Amino acid sequence: MRVLIVENEIYLAQSIASKLSEFGYSCEIATHTFEALREDRYDVVLLSASFNSNEFYKVIENHKSSIIILLISYISSDTVSNPIKAGVSDYIQKPFMIEELVRKIKFFESFKRYEMLNQTYDIMLESAMLSNKPANLDYKKIKLPLIISSSKIQISDGFAFSYAKESGFNCKIVDARVGFDVKTLLPKSFLYIRNIDELDIKQQESLLDYFKNSPVIIHGKKEHAGYNFMVLSHSRAATMSDILSIDEYVKQMILLYQDILPDTEISKKLGISRKSIWERRKKHGIYRQK
């Protein structure tokens, strides 16, 4: 990593550079602020608070994308509070141990890295929400715990991500096959549980009973006592990869319309008998919500 040390005490600057080089940092020294206003980019800028205010803030502005750590002799609004408001990352008070400076640098290295990752994840999640976000839903009226039934798990993913964004709650994604203790959830958080249908019936029932009074959204096929239940369908026309088997199509239509239409109407629309609908309900374990 490239480090620029902006310090008018040349011996202090050289000492810092020498010690940082032992930790693998490549250091350059600027004893005047105009040397720090070049277009060169640095990962870290160590900036002395001893320069006059006008030039001092120009250096901060010029390197606002870098990790900027102030080197200060005393703590005040002028040396700490105001510079941090202007974009400085942190400060360290002279005299200091080089290990403490390295710790601060490494902390902000990690912070910058995770900040960039979060921005990338935000873009990916936004894309997922736009592609699979169910239309015309009032997320403020959604009550947890909730089971989401959908033909594609991506639709449930889009719902969970959208719910997190609209509600302001943090979303913890969990694979049902791995497990998770709801007691370790942070405040203002909920679980989004995927792959519950990969478990056997007994395991499914046990998991659903465990989480039935918890803030969870579960992607599953069947209703369960203590849970709200919602069926979601894709708003866009199906592609070739979305085409379902006849049996799967009938199943999804039963799930989608069973709380809206009586079986006589569903059977007419599907062109099958009421007995066939009953047989498919039994086959797939589909029950009407009471």
Side-chain angles (χ1 to χ4, degrees):
M1 293 186 72
R2 295 185 70 199
V3 179
L4 177 64
I5 304 169
V6 189
E7 172 61 72
N8 53 12
E9 295 182 40
I10 186 63
Y11 294 113
L12 174 60
Q14 289 174 340
S15 175
I16 294 171
S18 175
K19 291 175 181 177
L20 285 180
S21 66
E22 296 175 8
F23 287 88
Y25 294 98
S26 175
C27 300
E28 297 178 28
I29 295 172
T31 55
H32 300 281
T33 51
F34 69 83
E35 297 177 78
L37 297 177
R38 297 191 298 264
E39 291 303 311
D40 290 355
R41 298 294 93 189
Y42 296 90
D43 299 296
V44 181
V45 174
L46 305 178
L47 175 60
S48 173
S50 60
F51 295 101
N52 74 63
S53 179
N54 187 43
E55 295 179 347
F56 174 79
Y57 282 100
K58 283 182 180 178
V59 174
I60 294 174
E61 178 63 25
N62 191 57
H63 296 283
K64 59 185 178 182
S65 62
S66 305
I67 299 167
I68 304 176
I69 298 177
L70 294 180
L71 309 177
I72 65 172
S73 299
Y74 59 91
I75 297 173
S76 71
S77 295
D78 289 336
T79 61
V80 176
S81 301
N82 295 335
I84 285 177
K85 290 177 184 177
V88 165
S89 304
D90 202 353
Y91 68 91
I92 191 165
Q93 192 169 2
K94 306 173 185 175
F96 53 83
M97 299 289 289
I98 198 66
E99 290 78 10
E100 176 64 11
L101 177 59
V102 170
R103 187 192 66 79
K104 287 179 179 285
I105 291 173
K106 288 188 178 296
F107 171 83
F108 283 100
E109 282 179 46
S110 296
F111 178 83
K112 287 277 187 181
R113 184 167 61 254
Y114 285 117
E115 187 177 46
M116 186 175 295
L117 281 173
N118 284 338
Q119 290 172 354
T120 302
Y121 294 151
D122 282 343
I123 293 170
M124 293 172 65
L125 291 179
E126 191 67 30
S127 175
M129 286 190 292
L130 289 173
S131 300
N132 298 291
K133 180 179 180 180
N136 303 320
L137 277 177
D138 186 350
Y139 290 91
K140 294 180 181 178
K141 294 182 179 179
I142 301 296
K143 302 297 183 183
L144 304 186
L146 173 68
I147 297 174
I148 297 291
S149 177
S150 59
S151 59
K152 295 172 61 177
I153 196 169
Q154 289 84 356
I155 300 173
S156 295
D157 293 346
F159 173 87
F161 299 151
S162 298
Y163 178 80
K165 185 173 183 180
E166 296 291 334
S167 67
F169 278 59
N170 296 309
C171 177
K172 173 73 175 180
I173 303 174
V174 178
D175 190 312
R177 297 166 297 185
V178 176
F180 185 84
D181 187 352
V182 72
K183 295 176 184 177
T184 63
L185 262 184
L186 295 173
K188 290 204 71 177
S189 300
F190 71 92
L191 285 182
Y192 171 45
I193 303 176
R194 306 168 93 242
N195 297 319
I196 188 173
D197 295 320
E198 298 293 321
L199 305 178
D200 62 40
I201 298 299
K202 188 175 181 179
Q203 288 174 319
Q204 289 184 39
E205 293 293 324
S206 177
L207 184 147
L208 288 166
D209 286 340
Y210 178 79
F211 285 111
K212 67 182 179 181
N213 295 314
S214 304
V216 297
I217 296 174
I218 298 175
H219 175 256
K221 295 178 181 178
K222 298 185 293 185
E223 300 175 44
H224 191 82
Y227 286 80
N228 294 300
F229 185 76
M230 184 183 297
V231 179
L232 297 177
S233 60
H234 208 295
S235 60
R236 299 182 301 176
T239 64
M240 288 299 292
S241 62
D242 295 324
I243 294 176
L244 306 176
S245 67
I246 292 174
D247 186 62
E248 184 66 18
Y249 175 77
V250 171
K251 172 189 166 186
Q252 292 302 323
M253 291 304 100
I254 292 172
L255 283 168
L256 186 60
Y257 290 106
Q258 69 172 354
D259 296 320
I260 303 172
L261 300 173
D263 282 356
T264 51
E265 289 295 317
I266 297 174
S267 65
K268 287 179 184 178
K269 291 181 180 295
L270 292 174
I272 59 177
S273 67
R274 289 181 62 189
K275 182 180 179 181
S276 293
I277 290 181
W278 179 84
E279 289 172 345
R280 282 176 168 81
R281 284 187 190 281
K282 185 177 180 181
K283 175 182 177 182
H284 297 295
I286 301 172
Y287 305 99
R288 282 188 179 275
Q289 189 171 2
K290 296 180 180 180

